[in-house]
Amino acid sequence: MNNLSSLINRFHLVRQIPIFAGLSWMELHRIARKAVIVEYKKGDIVCPQGGAPDFFYCLISGRLLAYSSSLHAKKEDIDFIHRGMHFGIVSILTGENHSMNFEALNDSIVLKISKPDFHEILNSVPQLGLRLSQSLSRRIRRKIHDATRSVFESTVVAVYSPVTGTGSSTYAINLALSIRKETNKNVIFINIHPRMEEGNADDTGSSPRWKTPPISLAQIIDDHAKILDHVIKKNLPVDLLNVSFDPKDTAIKKHIGLFVSAFVGDYHYVIVDLPNEMDDIVLETLTQSDLVHLITCDRIRDMESIRKVIDRLPGGPSPRPLGPRWGEGTSIHGKFREERTRVIVRAVEEKIYLSFEEINKHLDYHVYAALPTLRPSELTRREGSQHLSFLQSEPQSEYTKTVTRIAREIGGVSVGLALGGGAALGIAHIGVLRVLEQENIPIDIIAGSSMGAIIASLWAIGKDAAGIEKIAREFERRKNLLDLIDPVVPISGLLGGRAIKYWLRKHIGGRTFYSTRIPLLITAYDLIRREELVMESGSLVNAIRKSIAIPGVIEPVREKDRLIIDGGVLNPLPTNILTSRNIKKIIGVNVLQSPHDVSESFALEKDTELRKERVPFREAPFRFLGFRVYRFLLRPFKHNISDIIVRTLQSTEYVLAEQSAQQADVVIHPDLVGINWFELYKVDELIKRGEEAARKALPEIKKLIETE
């Protein structure tokens, strides 16, 4: 790239800025003489909120994020500044300090004109003042009518693997096509590779194969028009660009940020497929991207290779406890956030064979997703064009479902399902899941609390509603409930929980959160610190055991200095942990009974007892005696301490669940009148009522998943 500071280049740049288009040669020259060109690195603040209005700004290349900071350091009133846009005009005209921060999302080049020089230009070029006034009017209208905004956020996703044979290129093209399909927005797939290579190697036999030669990156990298001229359009659902670079050309590194941001404003999503070799060009591309997907296989040496890549990213993250997959993460360098780097593990065999502990030991980084292996039988659909060919997996394969789920999350169209607690009442969730399956409602992430955690876990590991129903039917024979009883001394609960863990292992085995087909979140509550715990790593059985520790019924879990009890105590309907993961479409299932439901249940129970009590001895002597003996034996246990505690908790939890339901777009609330919290054996009735409630909510659910 030539010297940007020269007058000739400043004149050339000024002429490309839309607000200056159509001005005479003399007027453009006058502006160029007053302008200065400044380069900013990714993460730099071009001008801060509250800063003096010293300059008029125009973005030459790159991308900026405009936002205001609240008292709690939250970013508000977010907007995006793309190539050719001007900013800071309101402050310079009014003399007020800047009301927003302007931060470089990529390496950026900005043209600046000082306040005195800009006022002088306005006086000498009245036409410019009129254009600025019109531009401000359009921006104000756009703010008022947000739906008509022409400036959109673009997301650059870099896909990289330091190991050959991981299928990173296959993943990249399938991700690009899935994002296009799920969002119906503009997507471009870019392949960058060293000049001596034709593309990335791939042991699945499905790696994209380019039929046309690549364009040299050095020839186009400093010219926005040339970059877009070489884009291949209308050949596939996504646009294509195939470029190569000379690894010895060190000058390219400096301009990679400008290259990846060249597509901002034209494409909502930019998917960049990188070569396996790590060099300065690859590292800089990873740094300049918004999201980095690191693909590895479930082998120890591959895990260690990925960890080395993570450490090479700016400021390399220090080891940390496994935490949220989404949401606010810790800053690595101030310019690169840890939650932007996502590790995806591909199974070499049928499933990931490394244990959670082994992955954590050698990777020491959160695994974002497990990518199922591609079977040869699933690669039967050949897709392609005159420029690119590749094998695409079958739509119903687990591989495609996983890539689609990731694409939906990137595209902001993920659907989350929150299953609430309620002890036996939670069996109604099975009926809800049955309807969702029958209607092919996509669920991309599931959260569960207490009984909802059990049902959510079984569904997340791949059991369908019919399979979960079969498990629930184990307790239709009431004597099977005795298998869950293990008294504990000293008494801190009716049950010790060991028998429950044994039962859970029978159906879940040693599976971890890495074994789930969709992301799973489970809540619990730390009684010592009085804080919510969100679990998404480690053993599923251990997480469930914590979430179902109903006070007074099941012994709490003691873990170091924590005392962990039922997640429903604080969060009986965990919609909040879905919203914190930026899930915008949420279905909540609240199985807790309202005060009115409880009153009706009590009246129904009394009516049933009266009818049984009125049966004459002479008509049915055995029924007459049996009912009275049953009532006599049950009396010491009816409304015992555990029952009183659970009923007290559920009365409070209902209020909390109603508040949480306000964060859901659709709330399913089955009518469970006449069923008690401990009646696990009423499987048919509970599932039926859950199904009825889900059917009733179907129009709302379908409307939710159809809207973008």
Side-chain angles (χ1 to χ4, degrees):
M1 186 175 288
N2 298 324
N3 181 12
L4 293 172
S5 299
S6 68
L7 180 59
I8 295 176
N9 281 317
R10 294 205 309 273
F11 177 82
H12 177 68
L13 294 173
V14 167
R15 190 170 57 181
Q16 296 181 49
I17 297 173
I19 198 69
F20 299 139
L23 297 181
S24 67
W25 182 91
M26 186 66 70
E27 291 167 335
L28 291 172
H29 195 269
R30 181 180 293 114
I31 294 171
R33 283 192 290 111
K34 300 294 186 181
V36 294
I37 306 297
V38 182
E39 297 184 48
Y40 294 91
K41 302 298 290 182
K42 179 178 180 176
D44 288 348
I45 300 297
V46 176
C47 58
Q49 180 177 339
D54 296 332
F55 293 94
F56 169 80
Y57 301 88
C58 285
L59 183 62
I60 303 299
S61 64
R63 182 173 44 144
L64 304 181
L65 175 68
Y67 63 92
S68 59
S69 298
S70 67
L71 293 175
H72 304 289
K74 289 184 62 177
K75 294 181 179 180
E76 300 175 345
D77 302 320
I78 292 176
D79 206 348
F80 298 90
I81 308 297
H82 293 171
R83 180 181 179 274
M85 294 178 63
H86 59 273
F87 56 100
I89 181 63
V90 173
S91 295
I92 205 170
L93 291 177
T94 62
E96 298 177 352
N97 291 343
H98 292 292
S99 61
M100 306 187 83
N101 294 292
F102 294 89
E103 177 184 340
L105 289 177
N106 294 105
D107 291 353
S108 302
I109 297 175
V110 177
L111 178 145
K112 299 168 59 174
I113 302 175
S114 68
K115 181 178 179 180
D117 289 339
F118 184 72
H119 281 295
E120 181 183 324
I121 291 170
L122 285 180
N123 290 331
S124 60
V125 187
Q127 182 183 356
L128 180 59
L130 178 61
R131 289 186 179 182
L132 287 170
S133 176
Q134 293 171 339
S135 175
L136 282 173
S137 298
R138 285 194 296 270
R139 289 190 185 183
I140 292 172
R141 286 198 300 271
R142 195 165 62 232
K143 288 284 187 181
I144 296 173
H145 306 288
D146 189 65
T148 64
R149 290 180 60 180
S150 59
V151 178
F152 53 79
E153 178 182 5
S154 295
T155 303
V156 180
V157 184
V159 179
Y160 174 70
S161 176
V163 183
T164 58
T166 58
S168 58
S169 294
T170 300
Y171 170 78
I173 184 63
N174 278 278
L175 180 66
L177 291 166
S178 292
I179 292 175
R180 168 65 183 176
K181 179 182 178 182
E182 297 299 322
T183 66
N184 198 32
K185 293 182 178 179
N186 295 335
V187 181
I188 184 170
F189 173 69
I190 303 172
N191 178 239
I192 302 178
H193 55 86
R195 185 172 298 166
M196 68 284 295
E197 295 184 1
E198 293 184 359
N200 290 351
D202 190 314
D203 68 349
T204 64
S206 59
S207 179
R209 304 298 177 188
W210 293 91
K211 302 177 183 178
T212 54
I215 186 69
S216 172
L217 192 56
Q219 295 179 18
I220 62 174
I221 198 167
D222 62 348
D223 193 315
H224 181 266
K226 282 184 179 179
I227 292 173
L228 296 182
D229 284 344
H230 285 86
V231 172
I232 302 169
K233 298 185 177 183
K234 299 181 180 179
N235 203 253
L236 283 172
V238 301
D239 290 347
L240 307 169
L241 181 61
N242 186 22
V243 297
S244 64
F245 64 91
D246 182 356
K248 298 178 182 178
D249 187 355
T250 57
I252 294 179
K253 173 188 174 183
K254 180 180 179 183
H255 308 304
I256 284 294
L258 306 181
F259 172 71
V260 297
S261 64
F263 307 96
V264 170
D266 294 291
Y267 296 93
H268 295 84
Y269 301 97
V270 181
I271 311 301
V272 183
D273 181 24
L274 292 168
N276 299 120
E277 291 76 12
M278 171 60 78
D279 56 23
D280 289 343
I281 305 299
V282 171
L283 181 61
E284 187 62 22
T285 306
L286 294 174
T287 303
Q288 294 294 329
S289 300
D290 300 310
L291 293 175
V292 172
H293 286 194
L294 300 177
I295 315 298
T296 185
C297 289
D298 59 335
R299 296 180 292 232
I300 291 174
R301 64 177 184 273
D302 296 343
M303 297 285 176
E304 293 172 344
S305 296
I306 283 292
R307 182 64 215 190
K308 291 177 182 177
V309 173
I310 295 171
D311 289 336
R312 287 196 65 181
L313 291 173
S318 58
R320 66 178 178 89
L322 296 180
R325 296 178 193 229
W326 300 281
E328 291 299 320
T330 56
S331 175
I332 294 178
H333 193 253
K335 299 181 182 180
F336 204 89
R337 286 191 167 273
E338 191 169 345
E339 76 272 11
R340 297 298 188 180
T341 303
R342 297 173 176 178
V343 174
I344 299 172
V345 179
R346 184 177 78 84
V348 176
E349 303 297 336
E350 290 294 314
K351 61 181 181 180
I352 293 178
Y353 76 91
L354 289 178
S355 68
F356 166 78
E357 289 76 17
E358 287 176 308
I359 292 175
N360 190 26
K361 175 182 176 182
H362 297 284
L363 182 62
D364 193 26
Y365 198 86
H366 194 80
V367 173
Y368 166 68
L371 196 62
T373 188
L374 272 168
R375 303 184 185 93
S377 60
E378 295 173 340
L379 288 169
T380 57
R381 297 180 57 211
R382 177 171 289 279
E383 302 288 348
S385 66
Q386 65 189 76
H387 301 282
L388 178 69
S389 68
F390 57 94
L391 287 172
Q392 190 172 19
S393 61
E394 289 294 332
Q396 296 306 312
S397 71
E398 289 303 315
Y399 181 92
T400 299
K401 290 178 181 179
T402 300
V403 174
T404 299
R405 192 263 303 165
I406 295 172
R408 288 171 59 80
E409 188 210 325
I410 293 173
V413 295
S414 294
V415 177
L417 177 65
L419 302 184
L425 305 179
I427 293 176
H429 291 312
I430 301 173
V432 174
L433 294 178
R434 176 182 291 167
V435 173
L436 297 180
E437 290 173 358
Q438 292 172 347
E439 299 296 329
N440 293 317
I441 304 298
I443 300 297
D444 302 292
I445 180 173
I446 187 168
S449 177
S450 197
M451 177 60 86
I454 297 178
I455 305 297
S457 298
L458 291 169
W459 202 60
I461 63 175
K463 294 185 183 296
D464 59 9
I468 303 173
E469 177 183 347
K470 184 178 180 181
I471 294 172
R473 290 194 180 280
E474 292 181 16
F475 300 108
E476 284 186 315
R477 300 179 66 183
R478 301 188 192 186
K479 70 174 187 177
N480 288 342
L481 289 171
L482 298 175
D483 294 338
L484 303 181
I485 296 176
D486 57 339
V488 59
V489 179
I491 298 176
S492 55
L494 182 64
L495 309 176
R498 295 180 300 278
I500 293 176
K501 286 186 71 172
Y502 177 81
W503 179 83
L504 288 171
R505 288 195 189 98
K506 182 173 70 171
H507 298 290
I508 295 177
R511 289 183 175 90
T512 71
F513 283 83
Y514 293 162
S515 309
T516 59
R517 60 182 177 84
I518 62 172
L520 168 68
L521 307 170
I522 293 177
T523 65
Y525 184 60
D526 180 3
L527 196 58
I528 301 298
R529 293 179 176 80
R530 297 188 181 182
E531 65 182 14
E532 181 180 34
L533 301 177
V534 179
M535 296 167 286
E536 54 179 329
S537 59
S539 164
L540 287 178
V541 169
N542 289 342
I544 296 170
R545 169 64 181 87
K546 295 171 185 174
S547 187
I548 63 172
I550 305 173
V553 179
I554 303 174
E555 184 182 25
V557 175
R558 293 173 174 82
E559 191 175 83
K560 295 182 180 179
D561 57 346
R562 293 182 182 275
L563 187 64
I564 303 171
I565 62 172
D566 190 328
V569 171
L570 179 70
N571 198 354
L573 184 61
T575 54
N576 66 310
I577 62 177
L578 293 176
T579 58
S580 69
R581 267 60 172 180
N582 201 31
I583 304 299
K584 298 181 175 64
K585 301 179 180 183
I586 298 175
I587 301 170
V589 186
N590 179 14
V591 295
L592 290 166
Q593 296 171 328
S594 68
H596 177 71
D597 294 337
V598 174
S599 296
E600 283 197 22
S601 295
F602 179 75
L604 185 63
E605 186 176 342
K606 291 297 293 182
D607 182 63
T608 302
E609 285 190 3
L610 284 172
R611 281 189 283 107
K612 289 181 178 180
E613 192 173 14
R614 288 170 182 167
V615 175
F617 175 80
R618 62 180 178 274
E619 290 184 9
F622 292 107
R623 190 190 306 174
F624 179 88
L625 293 173
F627 171 71
R628 279 157 178 76
V629 170
Y630 173 77
R631 188 170 60 179
F632 174 78
L633 294 174
L634 186 64
R635 185 171 296 164
F637 301 98
K638 191 173 184 180
H639 302 314
N640 56 44
I641 185 62
S642 295
D643 184 52
I644 292 171
I645 291 174
V646 172
R647 290 180 185 274
T648 303
L649 286 173
Q650 288 195 348
S651 64
T652 304
E653 288 172 4
Y654 175 78
V655 176
L656 295 174
E658 285 291 285
Q659 295 173 350
S660 297
Q662 296 177 15
Q663 297 186 58
D665 300 279
V666 178
V667 180
I668 300 173
H669 194 177
D671 177 4
L672 301 179
V673 170
I675 302 177
N676 286 305
W677 67 269
F678 52 84
E679 294 177 318
L680 288 166
Y681 45 84
K682 292 187 175 180
V683 177
D684 282 331
E685 190 67 22
L686 284 161
I687 293 178
K688 178 185 175 183
R689 297 198 193 184
E691 190 172 353
E692 290 172 349
R695 289 281 174 198
K696 187 176 180 181
L698 260 182
E700 285 184 86
I701 294 172
K702 290 184 176 180
K703 183 179 179 181
L704 173 69
I705 64 175
E706 289 170 1
T707 58
E708 293 187 7

